Amino acid sequence: MYLHRKLETRDLEAICTFPQSEEELLFMSPRFVYPLTSDQIIGLAKDRFEPTVIIDKQTEKVVAYANIYKDEDGFWLGNVVVSPEYRGQGASQYLIQVMMDKAKNLLKLEQLKLVCHNTNSRGLAFYSKLGFKPYDLKSVFIGQTKLISILMSKELH
């Protein structure tokens, strides 16, 4: 049902429509400002590994996007977002599996980490189902709002 490929400029317009609110955009990245623009994606993607889109085989529409980034604590899954019309239809599971495969096979990583905010209960349940385990909490302020960032990791055997 789905294919994947590297992010292309022609994909940006579609990806910008995926976050449906400021909160959803926050889940994608606290660096982004609502509404999402192509320039924001390009600005962040230049420092990322494996920027990847998921395509619906039948319609050839871009339905999801993610990438991987590195900091002093390791490699992280970043900018995960799925089109509203494809949520709950296996696109997110396919996306995360593709990203884990790329992390393991292309980047030769043994572990992949991610951040999920406490208000994203759907995301927390989803990542847990895929084998990501919480290992730490961090308090963050986004404007005047305090969130708890739940740091999760998965061993890539």
Side-chain angles (χ1 to χ4, degrees), residues 36-102:
L36 183 59
T37 63
S38 297
D39 288 342
Q40 291 180 78
I41 297 170
I42 292 167
L44 211 53
K46 66 183 171 194
D47 295 326
R48 304 289 172 119
F49 301 93
E50 301 302 323
T52 302
V53 293
I54 303 304
I55 310 294
D56 180 318
K57 279 186 190 177
Q58 289 184 327
T59 65
E60 298 183 8
K61 289 171 67 172
V62 173
V63 302
Y65 171 69
N67 56 49
I68 296 171
Y69 65 97
K70 182 182 187 319
D71 71 8
E72 63 277 355
D73 294 324
F75 286 84
W76 301 78
L77 182 63
N79 302 140
V80 176
V81 67
V82 177
S83 167
E85 67 182 282
Y86 284 85
R87 294 174 189 171
Q89 297 186 38
S92 55
Q93 187 161 347
Y94 181 80
L95 172 65
I96 302 308
Q97 189 59 57
V98 164
M99 298 310 292
M100 288 189 302
D101 290 347
K102 287 183 172 207

Side-chain angles (χ1 to χ4, degrees), residues 1 22 26-27 29 31 33 37 44 48 50 66 69 71 75 78 84-85 89 97 106 113-114 120 130 135 157:
M1 181 167 181
E22 286 185 45
L26 172 65
F27 296 161
S29 173
R31 291 186 184 178
V33 176
T37 63
L44 211 53
R48 304 289 172 119
E50 301 302 323
Y69 65 97
D71 71 8
F75 286 84
E85 67 182 282
Q89 297 186 38
Q97 189 59 57
L106 297 177
K113 298 178 179 183
L114 62 84
N120 187 358
L130 293 178
Y135 71 90
H157 306 301

Side-chain angles (χ1 to χ4, degrees), residues 68-156:
I68 296 171
Y69 65 97
K70 182 182 187 319
D71 71 8
E72 63 277 355
D73 294 324
F75 286 84
W76 301 78
L77 182 63
N79 302 140
V80 176
V81 67
V82 177
S83 167
E85 67 182 282
Y86 284 85
R87 294 174 189 171
Q89 297 186 38
S92 55
Q93 187 161 347
Y94 181 80
L95 172 65
I96 302 308
Q97 189 59 57
V98 164
M99 298 310 292
M100 288 189 302
D101 290 347
K102 287 183 172 207
K104 179 180 177 183
N105 299 320
L106 297 177
L107 299 174
K108 305 299 184 200
L109 303 180
E110 294 180 11
Q111 181 185 66
L112 187 61
K113 298 178 179 183
L114 62 84
V115 176
C116 193
H117 300 293
N118 65 301
T119 56
N120 187 358
S121 56
R122 185 174 176 177
L124 288 168
F126 171 71
Y127 292 127
S128 180
K129 180 179 138 187
L130 293 178
F132 285 86
K133 304 286 184 214
Y135 71 90
D136 202 2
L137 303 173
K138 287 188 179 179
S139 295
V140 293
F141 280 92
I142 308 297
Q144 299 295 328
T145 305
K146 181 179 180 180
L147 292 176
I148 304 299
S149 293
I150 299 163
L151 309 182
M152 304 177 84
S153 66
K154 179 175 172 77
E155 299 302 316
L156 303 173

